[in-house]
Amino acid sequence: MRTTVGIIGAGPAGLLLARLLHEAGVESVVLESRDRAYVEQRQRAGILEQGTVDVLRAAGAGERMDREGLRHDGIELRFDRTRHRVDLPALTGGSAVTVYAQTEVCKDLIALQLKEGGPLLFGAEALAVEDADGGHPRVRFRHGGREDVLHCDYVVGCDGFWGVARRAVPAALSRVFERTYPYAWLGILADVPPSHDELVYARHDRGFALLSMRSPAVSRLYLQVPEGTDAGAWSDEDVWDELERRLETGDDWRLDRGPVTAKSVTPMRSFVHEPMRYGRLFLAGDAAHIVPPTGAKGLNLAVGDVVTFARALVHERDTGSADLLDAYSETCLRRVWQAERFSYDMTTLLHRAPDATPFDDRVQLARLRRIAGSRAAETDLAEAYTGFPLG
Ligand code: RFL
Ligand code: PHB
């Protein structure tokens, strides 16, 4: 097989890249190791920045998002049993976020790709990227029990944190920046209307809690739990009791309970691989960087990377200049590090470390009160939350 752009991975990064290239008249082939149902059901992110919404719409993938996505003009910070609403458009000159799950983004992009785009192979596991710094990189892969080779002009590794693409960068050129956190998130999906019409980020002495949603009928909630926690060790009852404690306010707000339909634990990690390019291999999304989910940035960063790559490739085709491709890693990393910084700030602002001292607690509360009391501090949060400009 041969193609112009070989894309490894059909998560949001790989699927959107295939769509952007198709729209620009560039051929691609997508290799995805899992089956379609798995990719469409995997529970992950839920918040789209304004820029992500604009990109999906412009790519012709926004029809259902525009119908079913929920525009949110604010988030609530809860601490000390008080509530503070951050008015996003008022602080950012009009920007908001949209609640539309990653599962739905993937379903929409898969349907479009299968109908109009190039090949998208499920059950096709990339084994290695070869000759990445030569003129014609190859992806060796296994599909239907047979090994095959995809010959490409460019390879984009959109294969997530555990993928194979990153390994093709020689160790001598790789630099990894990493931090793990001594806690994780226990997340549930529940068939109950969300108890608040906007997301609630709560700081509590017992740990962080987040109230989010998937639709007007489905709630998504998270609890900070110790690293290594087994989701099975928490009964549904225990989860609701703990959410109630951590989300409690001094007013008459109440948390509504409903049947829990999914429960899982997500580890928390910050990770950046530099550079994001080696020869004709480009890394995008979680393959190159991970953020803890507190800032809701993972999916949005993946979108930024593939938009940057698609623009750069089209620029080269149209002008003959490789300048933008050469700048890919640097361009992406500027935005990536802003998201790393913000995700780290939000995480340490709201989670209680197991070794937190009374001093740490006081500083955390002071940071929260500063955001609630200073328009400058609040604007900084709102700008980062709604997203930094692309490119
Ligand atoms: P993805 O979504 O991980 O997609 C990578 C795809 O590559 C496939 N793959 C391979 N295919 C072929 N050959 C191989 N050798 C392959 N190896 C892997 C995988 O099957 C998969 O389909 O990466 P992408 O596209 O970069 O998208 C990034 C986002 O998925 C990610 O940033 C966010 O979901 C992060 N994230 C969350 N972000 C939020 O903003 N809010 C959240 O609540 C949230 N929850 C999460 C998350 C990430 C998680 N991970 C990575 C384990 C929960 C989890 C569990
Ligand atoms: C989610 O709805 O899954 C979600 C929302 C906001 C976050 C993280 C996850 O910061």
Side-chain angles (χ1 to χ4, degrees), residues 45-49 185 199 201 291-301 342-343 346 385:
I47 298 288
L48 309 183
E49 292 174 357
W185 279 17
L199 270 65
Y201 290 83
V291 286
T294 327
K297 288 283 166 254
L299 167 58
N300 296 292
L301 274 185
F342 174 65
S343 305
M346 284 286 276
Y385 193 80

Side-chain angles (χ1 to χ4, degrees), residues 44-47 185 199 201 210 212-214 220 222 293-296 385:
R44 287 189 177 176
I47 298 288
W185 279 17
L199 270 65
Y201 290 83
L210 171 61
S212 180
M213 62 201 71
R214 288 292 174 264
R220 175 81 168 146
Y222 297 95
T294 327
Y385 193 80

Side-chain angles (χ1 to χ4, degrees), residues 4 44-45 61 74 93 115 133 215 220 227 241 250 319 349 376 391:
T4 307
R44 287 189 177 176
K115 192 163 138 228
D133 61 342
S215 71
R220 175 81 168 146
E227 189 186 14
D241 288 348
T319 68
L349 175 70

